[in-house]
Amino acid sequence: MDKKKDLADKLRSSGLRPTKQRLRLAEYLFNRSKTFHFTVENLDKVINKKGSDEKVALATIYNTVHAFEKAGHLKEILLKEGRRYFDTNTNSHHHFYDEQNNELIDIEANNIELNKFPTPPKGKSIKNVNVIINIDNDTQNH
């Protein structure tokens, strides 16, 4: 299996030409053993860290991430503060949000039981449900 070819196919399926910069982003996002959460700003810092030979324009990073999200390769998670995270785990699941560390932690979908939903407005249907549980450091002494 040729990972570069697979990544190029993934880019093409998102409507993107597999340029060197986009392949570099795809390699960082998808060639790993575990899924993870990131912001575009964090991704920019990692991809364009000091000493890296080739820089990737922030606009290219934004456009590529949003194209991947639109194609279903990433999941966007909006938090109440207006922060946007992206998740490489596109399966149905929920999250803890650690406010102190600005970090999302996966919760398996079957670990949360949801049994009552409101009726959506006329002409609309529920697409999916995302539960985000905000957590903080436990300040009580046990």
Side-chain angles (χ1 to χ4, degrees):
M1 179 159 62
D2 182 5
K3 286 192 177 199
K4 282 268 195 222
K5 184 188 177 316
D6 290 345
L7 289 174
D9 289 345
K10 191 172 218 155
L11 283 167
R12 283 188 197 96
S13 77
S14 305
L16 296 170
R17 280 186 317 112
T19 64
K20 195 169 18 173
Q21 293 176 320
R22 289 175 180 155
L23 281 167
R24 188 164 151 219
L25 289 171
E27 195 168 7
Y28 180 80
L29 293 173
F30 304 118
N31 277 354
R32 47 180 63 235
S33 58
K34 291 179 77 177
T35 60
F36 74 110
H37 310 95
F38 65 93
T39 63
V40 171
E41 294 77 15
N42 291 348
L43 184 59
D44 177 48
K45 283 180 192 161
V46 171
I47 294 294
N48 292 315
K49 66 180 178 267
K50 282 188 177 150
S52 63
D53 296 339
E54 297 176 32
K55 301 290 184 195
V56 178
L58 184 59
T60 300
I61 295 173
Y62 266 105
N63 292 339
T64 302
V65 164
H66 285 287
F68 280 156
E69 189 263 333
K70 190 174 180 182
H73 303 309
L74 295 172
K75 198 174 185 177
E76 184 177 27
I77 301 154
L78 298 169
L79 299 177
K80 68 177 186 230
E81 303 87 28
R83 291 180 69 90
R84 292 176 186 265
Y85 282 83
F86 292 88
D87 193 344
T88 58
N89 179 356
T90 58
N91 296 324
S92 180
H93 67 287
H94 307 288
H95 295 95
F96 284 115
Y97 176 59
D98 182 339
E99 294 176 342
Q100 204 143 26
N101 297 315
N102 290 324
E103 178 184 19
L104 287 168
I105 302 158
D106 286 348
I107 302 171
E108 293 291 322
N110 61 1
N111 286 342
I112 291 183
E113 191 174 310
L114 304 167
N115 58 17
K116 186 175 180 186
F117 296 95
T119 303
K122 188 176 178 127
K124 301 289 181 179
S125 62
I126 295 173
K127 181 178 170 186
N128 62 35
V129 176
N130 295 308
V131 175
I132 298 175
I133 301 171
N134 295 321
I135 59 173
D136 205 350
N137 285 345
D138 188 0
T139 57
Q140 297 180 4
N141 294 328
H142 294 286

